[in-house]
PDB file of all heavy atoms in Angstrom:
ATOM      1  N   ASP A   1     -21.163  35.107  34.208  1.00 86.00           N
ATOM      2  CA  ASP A   1     -20.483  33.826  34.011  1.00 86.00           C
ATOM      3  C   ASP A   1     -21.006  33.043  32.805  1.00 86.00           C
ATOM      4  O   ASP A   1     -20.350  32.120  32.326  1.00 86.00           O
ATOM      5  CB  ASP A   1     -20.576  32.969  35.269  1.00 86.00           C
ATOM      6  CG  ASP A   1     -22.016  32.637  35.643  1.00 86.00           C
ATOM      7  OD1 ASP A   1     -22.903  33.489  35.444  1.00 86.00           O
ATOM      8  OD2 ASP A   1     -22.249  31.522  36.133  1.00 86.00           O
ATOM      9  N   LYS A   2     -22.160  33.416  32.289  1.00 86.00           N
ATOM     10  CA  LYS A   2     -22.713  32.762  31.098  1.00 86.00           C
ATOM     11  C   LYS A   2     -22.155  33.378  29.814  1.00 86.00           C
ATOM     12  O   LYS A   2     -22.306  32.811  28.746  1.00 86.00           O
ATOM     13  CB  LYS A   2     -24.244  32.874  31.070  1.00 86.00           C
ATOM     14  CG  LYS A   2     -24.928  32.320  32.288  1.00 86.00           C
ATOM     15  CD  LYS A   2     -24.766  30.834  32.370  1.00 86.00           C
ATOM     16  CE  LYS A   2     -25.540  30.343  33.589  1.00 86.00           C
ATOM     17  NZ  LYS A   2     -25.084  29.062  34.041  1.00 86.00           N
ATOM     18  N   VAL A   3     -21.517  34.546  29.933  1.00 86.00           N
ATOM     19  CA  VAL A   3     -21.054  35.283  28.772  1.00 86.00           C
ATOM     20  C   VAL A   3     -19.529  35.242  28.639  1.00 86.00           C
ATOM     21  O   VAL A   3     -19.005  35.187  27.540  1.00 86.00           O
ATOM     22  CB  VAL A   3     -21.538  36.752  28.846  1.00 86.00           C
ATOM     23  CG1 VAL A   3     -20.990  37.575  27.707  1.00 86.00           C
ATOM     24  CG2 VAL A   3     -23.054  36.794  28.854  1.00 86.00           C
ATOM     25  N   ILE A   4     -18.839  35.253  29.760  1.00 91.00           N
ATOM     26  CA  ILE A   4     -17.375  35.290  29.738  1.00 91.00           C
ATOM     27  C   ILE A   4     -16.840  34.387  30.845  1.00 91.00           C
ATOM     28  O   ILE A   4     -17.397  34.343  31.940  1.00 91.00           O
ATOM     29  CB  ILE A   4     -16.860  36.738  29.881  1.00 91.00           C
ATOM     30  CG1 ILE A   4     -15.368  36.817  29.600  1.00 91.00           C
ATOM     31  CG2 ILE A   4     -17.210  37.325  31.214  1.00 91.00           C
ATOM     32  CD1 ILE A   4     -14.865  38.218  29.381  1.00 91.00           C
ATOM     33  N   GLY A   5     -15.775  33.682  30.536  1.00 90.00           N
ATOM     34  CA  GLY A   5     -15.185  32.774  31.513  1.00 90.00           C
ATOM     35  C   GLY A   5     -14.219  33.476  32.444  1.00 90.00           C
ATOM     36  O   GLY A   5     -13.683  34.545  32.121  1.00 90.00           O
ATOM     37  N   SER A   6     -13.967  32.854  33.565  1.00 93.00           N
ATOM     38  CA  SER A   6     -13.017  33.435  34.519  1.00 93.00           C
ATOM     39  C   SER A   6     -11.614  33.479  33.933  1.00 93.00           C
ATOM     40  O   SER A   6     -10.830  34.381  34.233  1.00 93.00           O
ATOM     41  CB  SER A   6     -13.036  32.658  35.835  1.00 93.00           C
ATOM     42  OG  SER A   6     -12.752  31.297  35.608  1.00 93.00           O
ATOM     43  N   GLY A   7     -11.279  32.521  33.075  1.00 94.00           N
ATOM     44  CA  GLY A   7      -9.980  32.541  32.416  1.00 94.00           C
ATOM     45  C   GLY A   7      -9.814  33.741  31.500  1.00 94.00           C
ATOM     46  O   GLY A   7      -8.722  34.299  31.376  1.00 94.00           O
ATOM     47  N   ASP A   8     -10.901  34.138  30.864  1.00 95.00           N
ATOM     48  CA  ASP A   8     -10.854  35.314  29.996  1.00 95.00           C
ATOM     49  C   ASP A   8     -10.551  36.565  30.814  1.00 95.00           C
ATOM     50  O   ASP A   8      -9.744  37.406  30.414  1.00 95.00           O
ATOM     51  CB  ASP A   8     -12.163  35.483  29.238  1.00 95.00           C
ATOM     52  CG  ASP A   8     -12.501  34.267  28.386  1.00 95.00           C
ATOM     53  OD1 ASP A   8     -11.562  33.595  27.905  1.00 95.00           O
ATOM     54  OD2 ASP A   8     -13.703  33.984  28.212  1.00 95.00           O
ATOM     55  N   ILE A   9     -11.182  36.676  31.965  1.00 96.00           N
ATOM     56  CA  ILE A   9     -10.945  37.828  32.846  1.00 96.00           C
ATOM     57  C   ILE A   9      -9.510  37.791  33.379  1.00 96.00           C
ATOM     58  O   ILE A   9      -8.836  38.825  33.447  1.00 96.00           O
ATOM     59  CB  ILE A   9     -11.979  37.869  33.989  1.00 96.00           C
ATOM     60  CG1 ILE A   9     -13.366  38.153  33.392  1.00 96.00           C
ATOM     61  CG2 ILE A   9     -11.604  38.901  35.039  1.00 96.00           C
ATOM     62  CD1 ILE A   9     -14.518  38.013  34.353  1.00 96.00           C
ATOM     63  N   LEU A  10      -9.028  36.601  33.725  1.00 97.00           N
ATOM     64  CA  LEU A  10      -7.639  36.480  34.172  1.00 97.00           C
ATOM     65  C   LEU A  10      -6.669  36.881  33.061  1.00 97.00           C
ATOM     66  O   LEU A  10      -5.626  37.476  33.319  1.00 97.00           O
ATOM     67  CB  LEU A  10      -7.344  35.057  34.644  1.00 97.00           C
ATOM     68  CG  LEU A  10      -7.939  34.673  35.994  1.00 97.00           C
ATOM     69  CD1 LEU A  10      -7.801  33.179  36.242  1.00 97.00           C
ATOM     70  CD2 LEU A  10      -7.283  35.464  37.113  1.00 97.00           C
ATOM     71  N   PHE A  11      -7.031  36.578  31.818  1.00 97.00           N
ATOM     72  CA  PHE A  11      -6.167  36.987  30.718  1.00 97.00           C
ATOM     73  C   PHE A  11      -6.181  38.509  30.549  1.00 97.00           C
ATOM     74  O   PHE A  11      -5.155  39.100  30.215  1.00 97.00           O
ATOM     75  CB  PHE A  11      -6.533  36.303  29.396  1.00 97.00           C
ATOM     76  CG  PHE A  11      -5.445  36.444  28.382  1.00 97.00           C
ATOM     77  CD1 PHE A  11      -4.354  35.611  28.413  1.00 97.00           C
ATOM     78  CD2 PHE A  11      -5.482  37.467  27.450  1.00 97.00           C
ATOM     79  CE1 PHE A  11      -3.302  35.773  27.511  1.00 97.00           C
ATOM     80  CE2 PHE A  11      -4.450  37.632  26.545  1.00 97.00           C
ATOM     81  CZ  PHE A  11      -3.356  36.780  26.574  1.00 97.00           C
ATOM     82  N   PHE A  12      -7.319  39.141  30.778  1.00 97.00           N
ATOM     83  CA  PHE A  12      -7.368  40.610  30.753  1.00 97.00           C
ATOM     84  C   PHE A  12      -6.368  41.167  31.771  1.00 97.00           C
ATOM     85  O   PHE A  12      -5.655  42.129  31.500  1.00 97.00           O
ATOM     86  CB  PHE A  12      -8.756  41.136  31.095  1.00 97.00           C
ATOM     87  CG  PHE A  12      -9.842  40.811  30.106  1.00 97.00           C
ATOM     88  CD1 PHE A  12     -11.157  41.127  30.403  1.00 97.00           C
ATOM     89  CD2 PHE A  12      -9.583  40.188  28.888  1.00 97.00           C
ATOM     90  CE1 PHE A  12     -12.185  40.851  29.509  1.00 97.00           C
ATOM     91  CE2 PHE A  12     -10.602  39.895  27.993  1.00 97.00           C
ATOM     92  CZ  PHE A  12     -11.904  40.226  28.304  1.00 97.00           C
ATOM     93  N   ILE A  13      -6.348  40.559  32.958  1.00 97.00           N
ATOM     94  CA  ILE A  13      -5.425  40.992  34.019  1.00 97.00           C
ATOM     95  C   ILE A  13      -3.982  40.765  33.579  1.00 97.00           C
ATOM     96  O   ILE A  13      -3.119  41.631  33.778  1.00 97.00           O
ATOM     97  CB  ILE A  13      -5.740  40.266  35.341  1.00 97.00           C
ATOM     98  CG1 ILE A  13      -7.127  40.692  35.839  1.00 97.00           C
ATOM     99  CG2 ILE A  13      -4.666  40.529  36.388  1.00 97.00           C
ATOM    100  CD1 ILE A  13      -7.683  39.840  36.963  1.00 97.00           C
ATOM    101  N   LEU A  14      -3.712  39.623  32.954  1.00 97.00           N
ATOM    102  CA  LEU A  14      -2.373  39.340  32.448  1.00 97.00           C
ATOM    103  C   LEU A  14      -1.929  40.436  31.489  1.00 97.00           C
ATOM    104  O   LEU A  14      -0.808  40.950  31.600  1.00 97.00           O
ATOM    105  CB  LEU A  14      -2.363  37.976  31.748  1.00 97.00           C
ATOM    106  CG  LEU A  14      -1.018  37.412  31.298  1.00 97.00           C
ATOM    107  CD1 LEU A  14      -1.114  35.894  31.227  1.00 97.00           C
ATOM    108  CD2 LEU A  14      -0.551  37.946  29.987  1.00 97.00           C
ATOM    109  N   LEU A  15      -2.796  40.810  30.580  1.00 97.00           N
ATOM    110  CA  LEU A  15      -2.468  41.896  29.641  1.00 97.00           C
ATOM    111  C   LEU A  15      -2.234  43.215  30.374  1.00 97.00           C
ATOM    112  O   LEU A  15      -1.296  43.947  30.073  1.00 97.00           O
ATOM    113  CB  LEU A  15      -3.606  42.086  28.636  1.00 97.00           C
ATOM    114  CG  LEU A  15      -3.565  41.296  27.350  1.00 97.00           C
ATOM    115  CD1 LEU A  15      -4.844  41.515  26.547  1.00 97.00           C
ATOM    116  CD2 LEU A  15      -2.367  41.625  26.517  1.00 97.00           C
ATOM    117  N   GLY A  16      -3.098  43.521  31.328  1.00 97.00           N
ATOM    118  CA  GLY A  16      -3.010  44.788  32.051  1.00 97.00           C
ATOM    119  C   GLY A  16      -1.753  44.925  32.880  1.00 97.00           C
ATOM    120  O   GLY A  16      -1.196  46.018  33.020  1.00 97.00           O
ATOM    121  N   VAL A  17      -1.275  43.822  33.416  1.00 97.00           N
ATOM    122  CA  VAL A  17      -0.063  43.837  34.237  1.00 97.00           C
ATOM    123  C   VAL A  17       1.187  43.880  33.356  1.00 97.00           C
ATOM    124  O   VAL A  17       2.212  44.424  33.747  1.00 97.00           O
ATOM    125  CB  VAL A  17      -0.034  42.590  35.157  1.00 97.00           C
ATOM    126  CG1 VAL A  17       1.315  42.386  35.796  1.00 97.00           C
ATOM    127  CG2 VAL A  17      -1.118  42.690  36.212  1.00 97.00           C
ATOM    128  N   SER A  18       1.085  43.352  32.165  1.00 96.00           N
ATOM    129  CA  SER A  18       2.258  43.142  31.314  1.00 96.00           C
ATOM    130  C   SER A  18       2.704  44.340  30.491  1.00 96.00           C
ATOM    131  O   SER A  18       3.836  44.353  30.008  1.00 96.00           O
ATOM    132  CB  SER A  18       2.004  41.975  30.358  1.00 96.00           C
ATOM    133  OG  SER A  18       1.742  40.795  31.076  1.00 96.00           O
ATOM    134  N   PHE A  19       1.847  45.336  30.327  1.00 96.00           N
ATOM    135  CA  PHE A  19       2.178  46.406  29.387  1.00 96.00           C
ATOM    136  C   PHE A  19       1.798  47.783  29.917  1.00 96.00           C
ATOM    137  O   PHE A  19       0.866  47.926  30.705  1.00 96.00           O
ATOM    138  CB  PHE A  19       1.457  46.184  28.046  1.00 96.00           C
ATOM    139  CG  PHE A  19       1.913  44.946  27.349  1.00 96.00           C
ATOM    140  CD1 PHE A  19       1.180  43.781  27.440  1.00 96.00           C
ATOM    141  CD2 PHE A  19       3.097  44.942  26.626  1.00 96.00           C
ATOM    142  CE1 PHE A  19       1.618  42.620  26.815  1.00 96.00           C
ATOM    143  CE2 PHE A  19       3.540  43.785  26.002  1.00 96.00           C
ATOM    144  CZ  PHE A  19       2.795  42.626  26.097  1.00 96.00           C
ATOM    145  N   PRO A  20       2.509  48.815  29.416  1.00 95.00           N
ATOM    146  CA  PRO A  20       2.116  50.185  29.720  1.00 95.00           C
ATOM    147  C   PRO A  20       0.724  50.475  29.143  1.00 95.00           C
ATOM    148  O   PRO A  20       0.235  49.725  28.295  1.00 95.00           O
ATOM    149  CB  PRO A  20       3.177  51.032  29.020  1.00 95.00           C
ATOM    150  CG  PRO A  20       4.282  50.114  28.650  1.00 95.00           C
ATOM    151  CD  PRO A  20       3.713  48.740  28.598  1.00 95.00           C
ATOM    152  N   VAL A  21       0.115  51.542  29.564  1.00 96.00           N
ATOM    153  CA  VAL A  21      -1.282  51.843  29.255  1.00 96.00           C
ATOM    154  C   VAL A  21      -1.592  51.828  27.756  1.00 96.00           C
ATOM    155  O   VAL A  21      -2.524  51.148  27.314  1.00 96.00           O
ATOM    156  CB  VAL A  21      -1.701  53.204  29.871  1.00 96.00           C
ATOM    157  CG1 VAL A  21      -3.125  53.549  29.492  1.00 96.00           C
ATOM    158  CG2 VAL A  21      -1.533  53.178  31.378  1.00 96.00           C
ATOM    159  N   VAL A  22      -0.846  52.563  26.962  1.00 95.00           N
ATOM    160  CA  VAL A  22      -1.147  52.651  25.528  1.00 95.00           C
ATOM    161  C   VAL A  22      -1.009  51.287  24.867  1.00 95.00           C
ATOM    162  O   VAL A  22      -1.886  50.860  24.109  1.00 95.00           O
ATOM    163  CB  VAL A  22      -0.244  53.704  24.831  1.00 95.00           C
ATOM    164  CG1 VAL A  22      -0.456  53.689  23.331  1.00 95.00           C
ATOM    165  CG2 VAL A  22      -0.514  55.093  25.402  1.00 95.00           C
ATOM    166  N   SER A  23       0.067  50.575  25.168  1.00 94.00           N
ATOM    167  CA  SER A  23       0.259  49.240  24.603  1.00 94.00           C
ATOM    168  C   SER A  23      -0.855  48.298  25.054  1.00 94.00           C
ATOM    169  O   SER A  23      -1.346  47.490  24.259  1.00 94.00           O
ATOM    170  CB  SER A  23       1.612  48.667  25.014  1.00 94.00           C
ATOM    171  OG  SER A  23       2.655  49.402  24.441  1.00 94.00           O
ATOM    172  N   PHE A  24      -1.243  48.384  26.322  1.00 97.00           N
ATOM    173  CA  PHE A  24      -2.322  47.541  26.835  1.00 97.00           C
ATOM    174  C   PHE A  24      -3.608  47.766  26.050  1.00 97.00           C
ATOM    175  O   PHE A  24      -4.245  46.819  25.589  1.00 97.00           O
ATOM    176  CB  PHE A  24      -2.554  47.800  28.324  1.00 97.00           C
ATOM    177  CG  PHE A  24      -3.883  47.282  28.821  1.00 97.00           C
ATOM    178  CD1 PHE A  24      -4.135  45.928  28.885  1.00 97.00           C
ATOM    179  CD2 PHE A  24      -4.886  48.165  29.195  1.00 97.00           C
ATOM    180  CE1 PHE A  24      -5.364  45.450  29.331  1.00 97.00           C
ATOM    181  CE2 PHE A  24      -6.113  47.702  29.634  1.00 97.00           C
ATOM    182  CZ  PHE A  24      -6.355  46.337  29.703  1.00 97.00           C
ATOM    183  N   VAL A  25      -3.987  49.028  25.880  1.00 97.00           N
ATOM    184  CA  VAL A  25      -5.236  49.338  25.179  1.00 97.00           C
ATOM    185  C   VAL A  25      -5.181  48.848  23.733  1.00 97.00           C
ATOM    186  O   VAL A  25      -6.114  48.202  23.247  1.00 97.00           O
ATOM    187  CB  VAL A  25      -5.553  50.854  25.249  1.00 97.00           C
ATOM    188  CG1 VAL A  25      -6.713  51.218  24.348  1.00 97.00           C
ATOM    189  CG2 VAL A  25      -5.834  51.279  26.688  1.00 97.00           C
ATOM    190  N   VAL A  26      -4.069  49.134  23.056  1.00 96.00           N
ATOM    191  CA  VAL A  26      -3.930  48.712  21.656  1.00 96.00           C
ATOM    192  C   VAL A  26      -3.949  47.189  21.543  1.00 96.00           C
ATOM    193  O   VAL A  26      -4.680  46.619  20.725  1.00 96.00           O
ATOM    194  CB  VAL A  26      -2.639  49.309  21.030  1.00 96.00           C
ATOM    195  CG1 VAL A  26      -2.343  48.683  19.677  1.00 96.00           C
ATOM    196  CG2 VAL A  26      -2.763  50.819  20.918  1.00 96.00           C
ATOM    197  N   LEU A  27      -3.166  46.506  22.371  1.00 96.00           N
ATOM    198  CA  LEU A  27      -3.119  45.040  22.325  1.00 96.00           C
ATOM    199  C   LEU A  27      -4.459  44.422  22.717  1.00 96.00           C
ATOM    200  O   LEU A  27      -4.887  43.425  22.127  1.00 96.00           O
ATOM    201  CB  LEU A  27      -2.003  44.502  23.223  1.00 96.00           C
ATOM    202  CG  LEU A  27      -0.592  44.722  22.716  1.00 96.00           C
ATOM    203  CD1 LEU A  27       0.433  44.380  23.794  1.00 96.00           C
ATOM    204  CD2 LEU A  27      -0.325  43.917  21.457  1.00 96.00           C
ATOM    205  N   PHE A  28      -5.125  45.010  23.691  1.00 97.00           N
ATOM    206  CA  PHE A  28      -6.420  44.489  24.135  1.00 97.00           C
ATOM    207  C   PHE A  28      -7.439  44.564  22.997  1.00 97.00           C
ATOM    208  O   PHE A  28      -8.095  43.579  22.668  1.00 97.00           O
ATOM    209  CB  PHE A  28      -6.908  45.278  25.356  1.00 97.00           C
ATOM    210  CG  PHE A  28      -8.181  44.765  25.940  1.00 97.00           C
ATOM    211  CD1 PHE A  28      -8.192  43.643  26.746  1.00 97.00           C
ATOM    212  CD2 PHE A  28      -9.392  45.406  25.691  1.00 97.00           C
ATOM    213  CE1 PHE A  28      -9.364  43.152  27.290  1.00 97.00           C
ATOM    214  CE2 PHE A  28     -10.566  44.929  26.226  1.00 97.00           C
ATOM    215  CZ  PHE A  28     -10.554  43.801  27.028  1.00 97.00           C
ATOM    216  N   VAL A  29      -7.548  45.729  22.390  1.00 97.00           N
ATOM    217  CA  VAL A  29      -8.519  45.916  21.303  1.00 97.00           C
ATOM    218  C   VAL A  29      -8.166  45.044  20.100  1.00 97.00           C
ATOM    219  O   VAL A  29      -9.031  44.347  19.550  1.00 97.00           O
ATOM    220  CB  VAL A  29      -8.617  47.409  20.904  1.00 97.00           C
ATOM    221  CG1 VAL A  29      -9.428  47.587  19.638  1.00 97.00           C
ATOM    222  CG2 VAL A  29      -9.220  48.228  22.045  1.00 97.00           C
ATOM    223  N   LEU A  30      -6.909  45.065  19.692  1.00 97.00           N
ATOM    224  CA  LEU A  30      -6.508  44.264  18.535  1.00 97.00           C
ATOM    225  C   LEU A  30      -6.660  42.762  18.795  1.00 97.00           C
ATOM    226  O   LEU A  30      -7.021  42.011  17.892  1.00 97.00           O
ATOM    227  CB  LEU A  30      -5.072  44.602  18.118  1.00 97.00           C
ATOM    228  CG  LEU A  30      -4.866  45.984  17.500  1.00 97.00           C
ATOM    229  CD1 LEU A  30      -3.390  46.215  17.183  1.00 97.00           C
ATOM    230  CD2 LEU A  30      -5.725  46.175  16.261  1.00 97.00           C
ATOM    231  N   SER A  31      -6.403  42.334  20.028  1.00 97.00           N
ATOM    232  CA  SER A  31      -6.563  40.904  20.339  1.00 97.00           C
ATOM    233  C   SER A  31      -8.033  40.494  20.308  1.00 97.00           C
ATOM    234  O   SER A  31      -8.354  39.369  19.917  1.00 97.00           O
ATOM    235  CB  SER A  31      -5.930  40.556  21.690  1.00 97.00           C
ATOM    236  OG  SER A  31      -6.653  41.110  22.761  1.00 97.00           O
ATOM    237  N   LEU A  32      -8.923  41.392  20.684  1.00 96.00           N
ATOM    238  CA  LEU A  32     -10.360  41.097  20.590  1.00 96.00           C
ATOM    239  C   LEU A  32     -10.806  41.016  19.134  1.00 96.00           C
ATOM    240  O   LEU A  32     -11.572  40.125  18.755  1.00 96.00           O
ATOM    241  CB  LEU A  32     -11.176  42.148  21.348  1.00 96.00           C
ATOM    242  CG  LEU A  32     -11.070  42.116  22.860  1.00 96.00           C
ATOM    243  CD1 LEU A  32     -11.838  43.282  23.474  1.00 96.00           C
ATOM    244  CD2 LEU A  32     -11.573  40.800  23.435  1.00 96.00           C
ATOM    245  N   ILE A  33     -10.308  41.943  18.311  1.00 97.00           N
ATOM    246  CA  ILE A  33     -10.632  41.909  16.880  1.00 97.00           C
ATOM    247  C   ILE A  33     -10.070  40.633  16.249  1.00 97.00           C
ATOM    248  O   ILE A  33     -10.748  39.953  15.485  1.00 97.00           O
ATOM    249  CB  ILE A  33     -10.099  43.179  16.172  1.00 97.00           C
ATOM    250  CG1 ILE A  33     -10.861  44.413  16.659  1.00 97.00           C
ATOM    251  CG2 ILE A  33     -10.196  43.033  14.655  1.00 97.00           C
ATOM    252  CD1 ILE A  33     -10.254  45.733  16.234  1.00 97.00           C
ATOM    253  N   PHE A  34      -8.828  40.302  16.577  1.00 97.00           N
ATOM    254  CA  PHE A  34      -8.194  39.069  16.088  1.00 97.00           C
ATOM    255  C   PHE A  34      -9.028  37.848  16.485  1.00 97.00           C
ATOM    256  O   PHE A  34      -9.301  36.974  15.654  1.00 97.00           O
ATOM    257  CB  PHE A  34      -6.780  38.969  16.669  1.00 97.00           C
ATOM    258  CG  PHE A  34      -6.070  37.685  16.367  1.00 97.00           C
ATOM    259  CD1 PHE A  34      -5.423  37.504  15.150  1.00 97.00           C
ATOM    260  CD2 PHE A  34      -6.022  36.671  17.302  1.00 97.00           C
ATOM    261  CE1 PHE A  34      -4.746  36.320  14.874  1.00 97.00           C
ATOM    262  CE2 PHE A  34      -5.351  35.488  17.033  1.00 97.00           C
ATOM    263  CZ  PHE A  34      -4.715  35.309  15.819  1.00 97.00           C
ATOM    264  N   SER A  35      -9.450  37.799  17.742  1.00 94.00           N
ATOM    265  CA  SER A  35     -10.252  36.665  18.236  1.00 94.00           C
ATOM    266  C   SER A  35     -11.580  36.562  17.498  1.00 94.00           C
ATOM    267  O   SER A  35     -12.029  35.466  17.156  1.00 94.00           O
ATOM    268  CB  SER A  35     -10.503  36.811  19.743  1.00 94.00           C
ATOM    269  OG  SER A  35      -9.284  36.816  20.443  1.00 94.00           O
ATOM    270  N   LEU A  36     -12.200  37.703  17.249  1.00 91.00           N
ATOM    271  CA  LEU A  36     -13.461  37.720  16.515  1.00 91.00           C
ATOM    272  C   LEU A  36     -13.267  37.197  15.094  1.00 91.00           C
ATOM    273  O   LEU A  36     -14.032  36.347  14.620  1.00 91.00           O
ATOM    274  CB  LEU A  36     -14.050  39.131  16.495  1.00 91.00           C
ATOM    275  CG  LEU A  36     -15.335  39.313  15.687  1.00 91.00           C
ATOM    276  CD1 LEU A  36     -16.460  38.490  16.290  1.00 91.00           C
ATOM    277  CD2 LEU A  36     -15.712  40.777  15.626  1.00 91.00           C
ATOM    278  N   LEU A  37     -12.241  37.692  14.418  1.00 93.00           N
ATOM    279  CA  LEU A  37     -11.985  37.256  13.039  1.00 93.00           C
ATOM    280  C   LEU A  37     -11.664  35.763  12.971  1.00 93.00           C
ATOM    281  O   LEU A  37     -12.195  35.052  12.108  1.00 93.00           O
ATOM    282  CB  LEU A  37     -10.845  38.074  12.431  1.00 93.00           C
ATOM    283  CG  LEU A  37     -11.145  39.543  12.164  1.00 93.00           C
ATOM    284  CD1 LEU A  37      -9.892  40.271  11.693  1.00 93.00           C
ATOM    285  CD2 LEU A  37     -12.280  39.708  11.178  1.00 93.00           C
ATOM    286  N   ILE A  38     -10.830  35.289  13.861  1.00 92.00           N
ATOM    287  CA  ILE A  38     -10.492  33.856  13.873  1.00 92.00           C
ATOM    288  C   ILE A  38     -11.724  33.018  14.177  1.00 92.00           C
ATOM    289  O   ILE A  38     -11.949  31.972  13.556  1.00 92.00           O
ATOM    290  CB  ILE A  38      -9.373  33.563  14.904  1.00 92.00           C
ATOM    291  CG1 ILE A  38      -8.069  34.231  14.477  1.00 92.00           C
ATOM    292  CG2 ILE A  38      -9.180  32.065  15.105  1.00 92.00           C
ATOM    293  CD1 ILE A  38      -7.493  33.745  13.166  1.00 92.00           C
ATOM    294  N   SER A  39     -12.559  33.482  15.105  1.00 88.00           N
ATOM    295  CA  SER A  39     -13.762  32.710  15.438  1.00 88.00           C
ATOM    296  C   SER A  39     -14.750  32.682  14.273  1.00 88.00           C
ATOM    297  O   SER A  39     -15.451  31.691  14.081  1.00 88.00           O
ATOM    298  CB  SER A  39     -14.434  33.270  16.693  1.00 88.00           C
ATOM    299  OG  SER A  39     -14.964  34.553  16.449  1.00 88.00           O
ATOM    300  N   ILE A  40     -14.797  33.739  13.481  1.00 87.00           N
ATOM    301  CA  ILE A  40     -15.665  33.758  12.300  1.00 87.00           C
ATOM    302  C   ILE A  40     -15.111  32.819  11.229  1.00 87.00           C
ATOM    303  O   ILE A  40     -15.846  32.026  10.629  1.00 87.00           O
ATOM    304  CB  ILE A  40     -15.824  35.193  11.754  1.00 87.00           C
ATOM    305  CG1 ILE A  40     -16.665  36.029  12.718  1.00 87.00           C
ATOM    306  CG2 ILE A  40     -16.448  35.178  10.366  1.00 87.00           C
ATOM    307  CD1 ILE A  40     -16.676  37.521  12.405  1.00 87.00           C
ATOM    308  N   ILE A  41     -13.805  32.892  10.999  1.00 88.00           N
ATOM    309  CA  ILE A  41     -13.174  32.069   9.969  1.00 88.00           C
ATOM    310  C   ILE A  41     -13.268  30.579  10.306  1.00 88.00           C
ATOM    311  O   ILE A  41     -13.559  29.747   9.450  1.00 88.00           O
ATOM    312  CB  ILE A  41     -11.699  32.484   9.769  1.00 88.00           C
ATOM    313  CG1 ILE A  41     -11.643  33.890   9.164  1.00 88.00           C
ATOM    314  CG2 ILE A  41     -10.954  31.484   8.881  1.00 88.00           C
ATOM    315  CD1 ILE A  41     -10.263  34.521   9.181  1.00 88.00           C
ATOM    316  N   PHE A  42     -13.041  30.231  11.570  1.00 83.00           N
ATOM    317  CA  PHE A  42     -13.022  28.828  11.978  1.00 83.00           C
ATOM    318  C   PHE A  42     -14.258  28.443  12.786  1.00 83.00           C
ATOM    319  O   PHE A  42     -14.190  27.574  13.656  1.00 83.00           O
ATOM    320  CB  PHE A  42     -11.756  28.530  12.789  1.00 83.00           C
ATOM    321  CG  PHE A  42     -10.503  28.666  11.991  1.00 83.00           C
ATOM    322  CD1 PHE A  42      -9.673  29.767  12.163  1.00 83.00           C
ATOM    323  CD2 PHE A  42     -10.145  27.711  11.060  1.00 83.00           C
ATOM    324  CE1 PHE A  42      -8.509  29.910  11.423  1.00 83.00           C
ATOM    325  CE2 PHE A  42      -8.985  27.837  10.318  1.00 83.00           C
ATOM    326  CZ  PHE A  42      -8.170  28.941  10.498  1.00 83.00           C
TER     327      PHE A  42
END
């Protein structure tokens, strides 16, 4: 709970329920990279 919020985990579930396996994996990884880049920039 000090590293990741419950909302973040709920969003993982949202992604997992919303897409087929390949799309889920690709979107999950790319969204993490996107989040990292945005957090570095801002």
Side-chain angles (χ1 to χ4, degrees):
D1 61 324
K2 304 293 183 201
V3 176
I4 191 166
S6 57
D8 302 329
I9 293 171
L10 286 170
F11 195 81
F12 294 173
I13 295 168
L14 187 155
L15 270 174
V17 167
S18 300
F19 295 99
V21 177
V22 174
S23 294
F24 163 68
V25 171
V26 169
L27 288 170
F28 184 78
V29 170
L30 290 178
S31 70
L32 290 175
I33 293 169
F34 174 82
S35 299
L36 177 64
L37 291 174
I38 294 297
S39 67
I40 290 170
I41 293 168
F42 295 105

